[in-house]
Amino acid sequence: MSSIAVHGGPTPHAVLRDVVDWGRVVVGTVARGVVATLLGLALWAAAPALIGWQPTTVMTGSMEPRLTPGDVVVSRPVASGEVRTGKILLADDPDQPGHLRMHRYVEDGPGGTLVTKGDANPQQDSTPLERSAVHGVAFLRIPFVGAPILWLRQGEWVRVVVLALGLTALLALCTVDGSLRRLTAIDDDDADGSDGGDTAHGSGDGPSDGTDAGREARDDAATRLPSGGTTVVTRRSLRVHERRVQRLRRFGGAAAVLVIAGSIGVLVPAQAVAVPWSRTTVNPVSNFTAGTATGVPTLTCTAASSSTVTITWTYTDPTVPNSFDLMNGTTQLATATTPGQRSLVYGGAGLLDLGTTYTLNLRTNLGNNWTATSTPTVKVRVVSVLGLASASCVP
């Protein structure tokens, strides 16, 4: 009677280990791809400065939806005669010395000046631009790269900390498959050594005649090989070398991220700040009194329908504003431009929002950057899927 040994497939433990190893490889590869993409965007934002082009961080929503806060826009220098209507210009702001304006050139002004307007603003800018003030024409938009700079200048430290933790976690995920890649490198070295490399170093099998090549070289017996030039390469030394290379790569990647982020921070301009008039000017012919923007004293939210809400406010200041803007932070959601209008309907927006509650306020807009934001706020919950949105009031 004879017996036959039956060998099955791999054990469940081995299969699970293979799945985990493949998962580590996928996660590490994706993480390195994300880091490479972020570094590429940062280089696109900073590198054009080397050839004289000017990267600028968008600080407000006046050019939405074309440009959003946190985008970096690279402007290409052009001669004054090459500026054409419809282009987005980067120029010195005549209303705010030392700051820049990035708005669209909409028409010619008096004396060869350029009239500009923000795409999201209801009216044109109050002061036209001189052609000599134009730095360049917007040429390249890199989305969201300047968001950390925007958060730092607005004091949004929670977002900065979350971003730093996210980048740290992402860099850690880049090395999650490091041990597997080290084993692969060592196996490749062992395979190369099996072709004769180990024999040459005295760690493999000897020649066919039974003599030990390493001993023969050291004893200076037959081959007359020098006895002091032999280096033994072990698996331990390979692992130590690979770990050292991995540490250098990690340090280099982190340093590259910090250097590029710092270079972007140096290249972007300061945040624009506007100050309205606050005094009265009198001459024998005319009397000019400056208007000061004031926020609305009350703001309420009521349901308008099953998918929209009505935002209502009061306003008693004698100065007639150009518009009232419904705001979510720095993002303009809706605008009321009719004189005497004290309410507007809002129905939400976005591609995908599964019930986020937003705190909204109202901005009084006197023109240009003379604005005031209301202290009262309302809370609105927005649900949207692929552009189909609804809004509801939150008590």
Side-chain angles (χ1 to χ4, degrees), residues 125-137:
D125 298 329
S126 59
T127 306
L129 299 175
E130 298 291 340
R131 289 185 176 270
S132 59
V134 176
H135 289 250
V137 174

Side-chain angles (χ1 to χ4, degrees), residues 116-178:
T116 56
K117 176 183 176 298
D119 290 353
N121 291 344
Q123 295 185 353
Q124 298 174 349
D125 298 329
S126 59
T127 306
L129 299 175
E130 298 291 340
R131 289 185 176 270
S132 59
V134 176
H135 289 250
V137 174
F139 182 80
L140 178 66
R141 168 182 173 261
I142 303 95
F144 311 123
V145 173
I149 306 301
L150 180 65
W151 297 340
L152 286 172
R153 290 180 176 171
Q154 293 180 345
E156 298 183 17
W157 301 109
V158 174
R159 291 188 176 185
V160 174
V161 172
V162 170
L163 177 64
L165 294 176
L167 289 177
T168 303
L170 188 62
L171 292 175
L173 290 176
C174 291
T175 63
V176 73
D177 60 341

Side-chain angles (χ1 to χ4, degrees), residues 168-239:
T168 303
L170 188 62
L171 292 175
L173 290 176
C174 291
T175 63
V176 73
D177 60 341
S179 60
L180 297 176
R181 289 186 285 116
R182 284 194 294 271
L183 288 175
T184 301
I186 292 173
D187 291 341
D188 290 342
D189 289 338
D190 290 343
D192 293 340
S194 64
D195 294 335
D198 289 343
T199 302
H201 294 295
S203 60
D205 297 330
S208 59
D209 59 0
T211 61
D212 182 60
R215 185 180 297 112
E216 185 179 26
R218 286 191 296 272
D219 295 341
D220 197 24
T223 61
R224 304 296 181 181
L225 294 174
S227 60
T230 302
T231 301
V232 178
V233 180
T234 64
R235 179 171 294 188
R236 176 182 176 82
S237 64
L238 287 174
R239 285 197 296 266

